[in-house]
Amino acid sequence: MSQHAPIRIEGLRKEYRQGDRTVVALDDVSLDIPSGSIFGILGHSGAGKTTLIRCLNLLERPTAGRILLGDVDLAALDPAALRRQRRRIGMVFQHFHLLHARTAAANVSAPLEIAGVPAPERRRRVAELLDLVGLADRADAWPSQLSGGQKQRVGIARALAADPDMLLCDEPTSALDTETTGQILELLHSVNRRLGVTVVLITHELAVVKAVCDGAALLEAGRLRESGPLPALLADPASRLGQWLLPPAQEPVPAGELPPHARLVELTLADTLATGPVLGALARELGLDVTLLGGGIERIGGCRVGRLLLALSRAGGPPDLPAALSLLSAHKVRAVPR
Ligand SMILES: Nc1ncnc2c1ncn2[C@@H]1O[C@H](COP(=O)(O)OP(=O)(O)OP(=O)(O)O)[C@@H](O)[C@H]1O
């Protein structure tokens, strides 16, 4: 359990003025982000993701609503207290925002200098942080000598310098290739698990949420459409995020390739190992032949989840589909005819 404070967003609204027009970037967003979790905020371009993350450390002042870190209401703080609170929040950016005239070590050192940490302590801390992000041997490199992934590692080390409670990451992997994205997500995951730092991660990529998040929220046109822990979203047939996260079932198979009288059924498995016993029971109890047409099983948010497309058939006639559906439901497997 993390010792850090949870984040509570209450009725958040943010309006921008554009000439004589008002743009509502966030509209009545309420959201709880558990401490110690990795929480993904998903949404299309313009959905309000960046505005939300900027409101979380009050880089943008909300038009209405509250941001609570534990029981501290950020908007109610005086400037000095707000500066102290901001030290509890590290920022990681899509384009790294490194100082080009400083080495990797000097970039990581910058927030410690601002905080007045004495030089010997600073050097020790910088070495420790560069080691943590796997760049101990590149301390003296200039940003121009580093790859995108290495720059982001420096960005993460810098964000951790002041020993924050949380990292706010705005599209931290959007500028990186797939392999480097995986490595940076692994680093964020290990930082989260080792240090207990809450990671709020803005992304428009489902793969990012699948890879590391414990929970997620979906923003649409400034409004929160849904949010929750991944296992709950995956188990909820009405959850759009849950449906997106599940592996796809196969496209329909041409009828000529199916056994005669076959009926197609799509199974959704949410945190169950029941596949084998279920398929066996369809054969044993109902005398059905089960042909696996496609699908996949993955581990997402600590759960095994999947979708499978089956053809059910029986020698001599059509299968008893209602009986098959009720047997599947008795095994807690969601099944719909296709
Ligand atoms: N400073 C600003 N002034 C006026 N309008 C703004 C400002 N910043 C954002 N907006 C508007 O607010 C809405 C939300 O923008 P925001 O950048 O938060 O979305 P986003 O989900 O992060 O998008 P993207 O993925 O493209 O970065 C958009 O309509 C945007 O045009």
Side-chain angles (χ1 to χ4, degrees), residues 93-128:
F93 304 94
Q94 179 178 2
H95 296 294
F96 327 122
H97 292 195
L98 300 185
L99 299 168
H100 294 284
R102 280 180 162 236
T103 61
N107 266 283
V108 178
S109 176
L112 299 171
E113 291 164 27
I114 293 166
V117 175
E121 165 67 9
R122 244 172 23 226
R123 278 195 292 277
R124 191 191 60 73
R125 183 90 184 112
V126 168
E128 194 178 276

Side-chain angles (χ1 to χ4, degrees), residues 91-274:
M91 287 287 287
V92 176
F93 304 94
Q94 179 178 2
H95 296 294
F96 327 122
H97 292 195
L98 300 185
L99 299 168
H100 294 284
R102 280 180 162 236
T103 61
N107 266 283
V108 178
S109 176
L112 299 171
E113 291 164 27
I114 293 166
V117 175
E121 165 67 9
R122 244 172 23 226
R123 278 195 292 277
R124 191 191 60 73
R125 183 90 184 112
V126 168
E128 194 178 276
L129 287 160
L130 286 174
D131 189 43
L132 178 78
V133 301
L135 284 184
D137 56 345
R138 304 307 309 272
D140 297 326
W142 301 98
S144 59
Q145 298 171 319
L146 298 174
S147 69
Q150 289 172 329
K151 285 182 199 158
Q152 195 54 296
R153 287 174 189 273
V154 175
I156 292 170
R158 178 187 55 191
L160 289 171
D163 203 11
D165 291 7
M166 71 165 122
L167 285 187
L168 303 181
C169 308
D170 193 353
E171 301 268 10
T173 58
S174 299
L176 305 174
D177 63 35
T178 313
E179 193 185 333
T180 314
T181 290
Q183 292 163 358
I184 292 298
L185 292 176
E186 229 169 74
L187 174 62
L188 287 171
H189 189 260
S190 109
V191 160
N192 165 265
R193 296 303 193 251
R194 284 167 67 178
L195 308 179
V197 177
T198 308
V199 176
V200 182
L201 217 161
I202 288 219
T203 182
H204 59 270
E205 291 174 283
L206 272 174
V208 168
V209 174
K210 272 190 185 189
V212 287
C213 290
D214 305 301
L218 176 61
L219 278 181
E220 278 181 352
R223 296 191 68 100
L224 184 77
R225 182 180 166 114
E226 58 179 336
S227 69
L230 252 44
L233 296 171
L234 288 160
D236 177 2
S239 160
R240 181 181 287 202
L241 268 176
Q243 292 304 304
W244 285 343
L245 288 167
L246 283 165
Q250 192 90 335
E251 284 305 301
V253 179
E257 294 177 18
L258 295 172
H261 305 298
R263 298 296 304 271
L264 300 190
V265 175
E266 185 180 302
L267 308 191
T268 302
L269 310 163
D271 209 12
T272 174
L273 295 172

Side-chain angles (χ1 to χ4, degrees), residues 16-18 23-26 43-52 60 94 170-171 202 204 219:
Y16 294 108
R17 296 291 304 165
Q18 255 184 357
V23 178
V24 180
L26 294 172
H44 292 303
S45 184
K49 306 182 296 295
T50 298
T51 302
L52 178 60
E60 294 289 354
Q94 179 178 2
D170 193 353
E171 301 268 10
I202 288 219
H204 59 270
L219 278 181

